[in-house]
Amino acid sequence: MDWYIGKEWNDTARGLQKKVLSLEFQRVEKPLLISTVEFTVKKPCLNLGTRPSKYLASNETQHTLEMGTADSPIDCYIEILLQQFVLGETSACSIITKTGERLQFELKLDRIVSNIQIDKLSAGEIYNLSLKYKEKGVTMYKAHPRFACDYFSRAAKLLITYKPFDKLDEEKNGIDNHALELLFVQIQTNLAACMLLEKRYEHVIYHTQFVETQEQPSEKSIYRRALAYYYLKEFEKAQKLIERVPQYEEKREFSKLRDNIATSWKSSNANYKQLVQRMFS
């Protein structure tokens, strides 16, 4: 086994590890980001507990997996692990959880059913793949926002390759440029929600830049951008954004944020005056 360079693989940031136990080469091929594979769970998972997993919690040992369809953290990690396998490989795998527990199991990559390179996809196919990632992210957002953010990021990176969207021709590229623009804006708005949870307010501002140029941006995007400005103490910018929303006074979230802005702005001005007075007293 010494000749095999990939006999051990680690992703310390995610707490993932695999060690090769055996190789039954048919051909040297690894799963890509867009692939469908068949694999076997060789040994039941230790320490899985009640954690959801379509594959490790199942009584079945053989599974078919389509990359980019996981809807639980464990299954997201299984996808990442399998992308490091070569065809016919059996490896001991582990996942270290937030609480420090080590999930241990063995997988064998039996077959790569399909393998597609992203750069071979048409604009229409890129749109469909990005939409799938976006929908998966929305599904996972409430319970697992960090994994949702990963899905949204994947979708955004795919769409960025086709900017500027107005260069696309529906007849030639298989997709209307307005559809790509709309999906990209939705994904940016979703990313802004993730960034707010992580208190990365500058990133929220970056992801919602489109609010300044669109005539009628969504209320979600306006609210998230205004909230980021509020936390950055850019009170005037936050207030102007809120006042763009028709009848904002009648909308509870906007009205409450507007009141918070006014209170914080007043307090900030008072503190500044006190500071100036102390400097010149």
Side-chain angles (χ1 to χ4, degrees), residues 117-136:
Q117 295 181 10
I118 288 178
D119 58 3
K120 303 296 183 184
L121 297 180
S122 67
E125 290 169 329
I126 287 288
Y127 173 87
N128 291 331
L129 182 59
S130 299
L131 180 61
K132 182 182 80 170
Y133 287 158
K134 179 239 179 186
E135 290 173 346
K136 277 293 175 184

Side-chain angles (χ1 to χ4, degrees), residues 18-22 85 89-93 105-108:
K18 81 174 183 73
K19 293 183 179 181
V20 177
L21 300 176
S22 66
F85 277 59
E89 174 184 332
T90 300
S91 282
C93 303
F105 49 95
E106 291 182 11
L107 303 179
K108 180 184 178 184

